[in-house]
Amino acid sequence: MSLFNFLKSNLSILDVVGEYVSLKPAGSYHKGTCPFHSEKDASFTVSPDRGIFYCFGCHCSGDLISFVAKIENMTQLEAAKHLIDHFNITIPQTLEKEFSTTVANQKSEKDRHSYICEAITNWLHQQLLVNKEALNYLTDRQISSKSIETFMVGYFPGGLKSVTNFITAMQSKNVMLKDLLEIGFLSQSGNIYYSPFEERIIFTIRDTLGRFVGFGGRIFKKNDERAKYYNSKESAHFQKGQLLFGFDLAKQKMKQQENAFLVEGYTDCVMMWQHGFENTVATLGTACNHDHLKLLSRFIKTLYVLYDGDKAGQKAILRLVDLCWNANLELKIIHLPEQHDPASFLQGKNDLQPLISNAKDIFEFFLETSTDAFQNKTISEKMEISEKIISVIAKIDNKFKKELLLSQAAATMQISLQTLKEFLRNEGHKRVESKQEENKENDNIPGHFNDIDQLEKKILFAILSKIDLNEPFSIEKELVSQFEMQIRYFLEKIDKVTDLQAGNRFTAFLEKLNTEERDWISYNMMINSDPQISFETFSQLIMQFQKQRWKVAVSNVKNQILAAQKMQDPLKLQELLKKFAYLKEEMKNKGIL
Ligand SMILES: [Zn+2]
C-alpha cells in the first residue's frame, strides 16, 4: 500500500473537508458551500463512500489529499505530511521509510523559502532583544515582552557592519548570500550589500499554517523619512493578496468563536492579541480583497471590521460593501473615535467591549454613511446615491434584512417605500437574468461525453459503484470491445486496477484520468450512480446490452446476405449463412433469444 492510500483509508474525507466546509448529509453524500468558488448555493458535494468531493458549480474534484493540497496551496506530498501531523497519524514502519526519503528528496521550494525566512526571523529577533532604542520604542507603545516573543518581532540594525554580521550568521545556518538576494531581503550595489529593512522594526509574516513567508518593516526613528512600511517583495511564496498577518495565531479562537477582528496594521493586530482578542488578523498594507474574505469564511461566520476612525478608514470600509455580499460572511463595523486606530484606542486603556456590542451591520453602516446630509445634495447626486443603495440592497439574500434596510433607506431619503420597492424589483430582474447566463455557462459538462449511450453509461457506473468491494462486478473481456469508444476507454482503465486490494481501486482508477475525465466521472458518481444496485439488476443491464449488440450483428449479416444474393456470389453466400446460423445458435445458448 502506498502512503497516499494508507492515509485515504485511515482518514474520513468528511473529517478532513469538514474542517473547512460545514457539511450537511443529503442522501448518499454530503453537501456544503464550495470553498473554491463564490457561491450561496451548496454545490459542493462529498461522498464518504467513495472518498471523493465534487463541485457542481466549478467542477473541481478529487480525494482528501488533493482537497488539502488545493485549499492550502500545497503539493500532494506536503498535504499528506500536513494531514499526518494534523490528525496525529502513526504511519506503519514499512511506509515510514518510503515517506521520509520522498520528503527528503522533494523538500519543496516552499519549505526552503520558509526555512530561510525562519533563520532571518531568529536573527532579527535576537538583534531586537539587545537594542535599547528599538525596545524602548515598543515599550512606549505598551507592546509586552510576551507579544514580542509570540510574534517574534525583530529589528535590523543599520550599517555595513551589521549587514556583514548578518550575512555571516546566515551562512552558518546554511543560508547563502544568493538566497538573501533572491528573496529581496538584501540588495546589491556594486560590491556593497544593504537591506531595505535596515533600521526598521520587523514583523514576520506567517502563512495560515504558521510557516514563515515574509516580512513587514516599520520605521520608528525620528526624522526617518522613508516610507512608513516596507514589505517583502511579491513572489510565489509571498502574496500579500492572500495572506493575513496573525492568521496562524488567530485560527484556534476563530474556530471556537466563529468570528474574527480585521485590522489594518501589524501593531493593531499585536495590541488586539495582547488584550485578549487573539482572533485578530491584519491585511499587509493592502486593501482587504475577496480572497481574504473567502479565506476567513472558512473559519468564521462574522467578521468585525476595526479600521481607523478617520475618513480613510471609512472609505476602506465602504469598499468592503461590494465584496462582502458574495463572501458568505457577515461583516460588522466597529466604529472607533475619529482620532484613534485600534492600537491607540487600547493603549489609552479604553474598553472595546461596548463598541463590539454596538457594532453595526455593514449594510446599515453603508446606508447611514451614504445618505449622510442627503437632503442637501443636488438631484443628480441624490439619484446616484439612490441607485448605488438599491444595487447594494438588491444583492442581500436575507429577506428580513432587505425589508429593514429598504424602509430605513426610504425614511432617510424621503422617498416612498413603494417607489423604492419598484426600483428594487427592476434591479432584481437584471440580477436574475445575469445569473441565468452564468448558470448556462456552468452547465458545460465536458461536451464529448454528452452523446454517450445511456445503457452503456449505466453499466459503467454500476461497475464503478461496486469497484471497491471484495467481489466487484465485472464483464467479460470480449464484451468490453463492443462498447463505445469513450466507455471502453474507462473500462480498460478499470481493468488495470482490478488486481489492487478492495478499497484502493476507485482512487487508483481516478488517478489514471485527466482532469476533465475525472470531473465527468466524479459528477456522475454523485448523481447517477446507485451504490445499492443489486447483482440481478446489473446482470439485466448486461443482458440488455448483449441483446442490442447481437441485434446489430445479426442485422449486419442479414444485409450482407442480401448483397451476396444480388451479386450472385454462392461462396460468399454460403459463408454468411453459416455465420448467421452460428449467431442464432450462440444467442440461444446465451439465453438472449
Ligand atoms: Zn466550486
Side-chain angles (χ1 to χ4, degrees):
M1 192 189 276
S2 79
L3 175 73
F4 286 3
N5 282 331
F6 172 79
L7 280 180
K8 281 183 268 191
S9 47
N10 278 274
L11 280 169
S12 144
I13 190 165
L14 289 181
D15 290 342
V16 174
V17 175
E19 298 232 325
Y20 303 90
V21 182
S22 117
L23 293 167
K24 287 201 181 81
S28 65
Y29 55 90
H30 284 61
K31 280 173 81 162
T33 318
C34 180
F36 302 119
H37 82 279
S38 295
E39 65 160 3
K40 288 269 172 173
D41 321 310
S43 315
F44 185 78
T45 56
V46 177
S47 161
D49 303 337
R50 296 274 141 258
I52 55 168
F53 67 92
Y54 178 76
C55 173
F56 288 88
C58 64
H59 307 303
C60 62
S61 63
D63 56 34
L64 57 89
I65 296 175
S66 51
F67 178 85
V68 173
K70 195 170 161 72
I71 204 159
E72 297 288 5
N73 195 15
M74 296 168 150
T75 66
Q76 300 256 328
L77 191 70
E78 286 172 331
K81 208 168 109 190
H82 170 67
L83 285 168
I84 291 168
D85 295 343
H86 187 75
F87 286 95
N88 229 335
I89 292 172
T90 322
I91 331 174
Q93 266 181 346
T94 44
L95 288 177
E96 198 155 4
K97 203 167 171 211
E98 176 206 347
F99 179 56
S100 48
T101 40
T102 348
V103 169
N105 289 341
Q106 297 192 7
K107 197 155 174 52
S108 72
E109 254 182 69
K110 188 154 204 154
D111 285 337
R112 174 72 186 155
H113 176 80
S114 144
Y115 172 80
I116 294 169
C117 291
E118 188 172 358
I120 297 174
T121 302
N122 289 332
W123 188 82
L124 295 171
H125 185 61
Q126 291 313 316
Q127 302 307 305
L128 174 74
L129 297 182
V130 296
N131 186 289
K132 260 216 171 104
E133 196 184 2
L135 271 182
N136 280 343
Y137 171 83
L138 294 172
T139 322
D140 281 350
R141 275 170 183 60
Q142 297 172 22
I143 294 178
S144 70
S145 49
K146 192 175 167 209
S147 294
I148 292 175
E149 203 65 42
T150 309
F151 286 88
M152 286 298 281
V153 184
Y155 168 65
F156 197 157
L160 279 181
K161 196 167 165 241
S162 108
V163 174
T164 315
N165 287 342
F166 171 65
I167 294 172
T168 320
M170 287 301 102
Q171 270 165 355
S172 75
K173 300 280 175 215
N174 207 16
V175 174
M176 298 304 140
L177 188 55
K178 75 167 184 21
D179 296 325
L180 299 167
L181 290 167
E182 209 169 273
I183 69 163
F185 201 83
L186 287 187
S187 299
Q188 184 175 15
S189 165
N191 280 334
I192 300 201
Y193 299 100
Y194 63 95
S195 172
F197 288 97
E198 278 173 57
E199 300 200 14
R200 288 178 186 269
I201 303 277
I202 293 164
F203 297 91
T204 302
I205 293 141
R206 295 184 284 232
D207 68 6
T208 52
L209 296 173
R211 293 176 296 190
F212 298 80
V213 290
F215 306 92
R218 187 194 199 289
I219 53 167
F220 68 103
K221 289 185 176 171
K222 272 192 196 128
N223 307 324
D224 192 338
E225 281 172 355
R226 296 175 297 171
K228 189 169 165 194
Y229 285 101
Y230 182 87
N231 284 314
S232 284
K233 62 175 189 186
E234 294 268 318
S235 73
H237 309 298
F238 184 75
Q239 285 163 330
K240 282 187 271 186
Q242 297 188 351
L243 289 164
L244 287 164
F245 179 71
F247 194 96
D248 58 315
L249 295 172
K251 215 161 154 182
Q252 197 67 24
K253 198 155 179 193
M254 286 201 294
K255 261 192 219 166
Q256 278 166 12
Q257 305 202 338
E258 298 195 322
N259 62 39
F261 297 93
L262 176 70
V263 296
E264 283 181 304
Y266 303 123
T267 328
D268 294 331
C269 188
V270 174
M271 282 308 273
M272 286 288 285
W273 182 89
Q274 195 173 308
H275 282 78
F277 304 102
E278 290 108 334
N279 45 337
T280 304
V281 296
T283 43
L284 312 180
T286 52
C288 175
N289 65 26
H290 184 260
D291 287 342
H292 290 134
L293 294 183
K294 194 78 207 165
L295 172 66
L296 287 164
S297 73
R298 276 159 39 191
F299 296 85
I300 58 167
K301 293 201 170 89
T302 310
L303 180 66
Y304 290 98
V305 180
L306 200 54
Y307 284 178
D308 296 1
D310 59 8
K311 280 261 167 345
Q314 230 173 46
K315 256 197 176 153
I317 293 170
L318 291 179
R319 273 200 298 269
L320 287 175
V321 173
D322 283 328
L323 289 179
C324 70
W325 64 272
N326 62 1
N328 222 355
L329 202 58
E330 200 176 341
L331 264 70
K332 295 205 161 177
I333 309 301
I334 293 178
H335 195 66
L336 287 176
E338 206 169 323
Q339 72 279 18
H340 277 302
D341 57 34
S344 71
F345 185 79
L346 292 168
Q347 282 149 9
K349 307 261 180 294
N350 295 298
D351 189 3
L352 193 60
Q353 213 58 56
L355 298 192
I356 298 173
S357 319
N358 284 322
K360 246 180 216 149
D361 180 273
I362 188 162
F363 292 109
E364 218 178 302
F365 176 85
F366 159 74
L367 192 58
E368 267 178 34
T369 327
S370 39
T371 54
D372 189 30
F374 187 74
Q375 293 317 323
N376 304 331
K377 303 248 161 41
T378 65
I379 296 268
S380 68
E381 279 171 339
K382 282 182 182 173
M383 289 280 288
E384 203 179 304
I385 294 169
S386 320
E387 268 169 29
K388 172 83 186 149
I389 289 174
I390 291 294
S391 76
V392 167
I393 295 181
K395 289 171 185 166
I396 297 171
D397 268 348
N398 185 318
K399 224 175 153 190
F400 177 69
K401 198 159 152 191
K402 218 172 190 166
E403 284 284 316
L404 214 66
L405 285 173
L406 263 188
S407 63
Q408 212 173 321
T412 348
M413 299 192 285
Q414 296 182 354
I415 297 174
S416 85
L417 188 59
Q418 199 53 40
T419 316
L420 264 191
K421 277 190 176 165
E422 224 147 87
F423 261 139
L424 189 64
R425 223 166 291 136
N426 293 336
E427 188 69 26
H429 285 312
K430 269 192 246 160
R431 286 203 69 220
V432 170
E433 276 161 25
S434 70
K435 202 164 187 190
Q436 279 168 349
E437 285 290 305
E438 264 171 44
N439 286 347
K440 251 185 230 157
E441 277 173 27
N442 283 342
D443 272 347
N444 273 340
I445 307 232
H448 61 273
F449 291 118
N450 282 343
D451 44 356
I452 284 175
D453 178 78
Q454 286 306 316
L455 178 63
E456 296 191 15
K457 197 165 148 184
K458 269 190 198 161
I459 293 174
L460 173 68
F461 285 98
I463 295 172
L464 281 174
S465 69
K466 300 286 181 187
I467 190 175
D468 270 330
L469 299 186
N470 282 325
E471 286 172 17
F473 293 166
S474 64
I475 41 179
E476 291 162 34
K477 279 228 167 82
E478 64 164 88
L479 206 55
V480 172
S481 64
Q482 301 187 25
F483 278 81
E484 277 178 34
M485 199 184 69
Q486 293 105 320
I487 299 287
R488 197 169 66 220
Y489 171 81
F490 290 122
L491 290 175
E492 282 163 2
K493 298 251 184 248
I494 291 174
D495 193 44
K496 294 209 169 95
V497 300
T498 45
D499 292 344
L500 299 177
Q501 268 182 318
N504 292 333
R505 294 181 206 124
F506 186 70
T507 336
F509 165 71
L510 279 188
E511 276 160 13
K512 292 192 182 300
L513 307 178
N514 70 28
T515 321
E516 194 188 10
E517 293 157 359
R518 201 155 47 219
D519 263 19
W520 187 76
I521 291 287
S522 312
Y523 171 80
N524 281 287
M525 283 307 279
M526 290 295 178
I527 59 158
N528 289 336
S529 87
D530 171 16
Q532 256 73 52
I533 186 169
S534 67
F535 184 69
E536 283 66 40
T537 318
F538 178 67
S539 309
Q540 278 163 13
L541 290 177
I542 295 291
M543 182 68 83
Q544 223 179 317
F545 175 74
Q546 280 177 313
K547 263 188 199 168
Q548 266 186 10
R549 292 288 109 192
W550 282 101
K551 266 188 199 158
V552 173
V554 167
S555 92
N556 270 345
V557 178
K558 267 187 186 164
N559 287 334
Q560 283 173 338
I561 290 175
L562 285 177
Q565 277 171 342
K566 263 190 199 159
M567 301 286 290
Q568 300 188 330
D569 183 344
L571 271 180
K572 183 91 183 163
L573 192 61
Q574 210 177 3
E575 189 193 323
L576 285 166
L577 285 171
K578 241 190 204 166
K579 195 169 176 184
F580 187 69
Y582 168 79
L583 281 177
K584 285 265 176 187
E585 187 64 28
E586 274 287 284
M587 282 166 82
K588 214 187 274 173
N589 289 342
K590 298 214 163 162
I592 296 168
L593 259 186

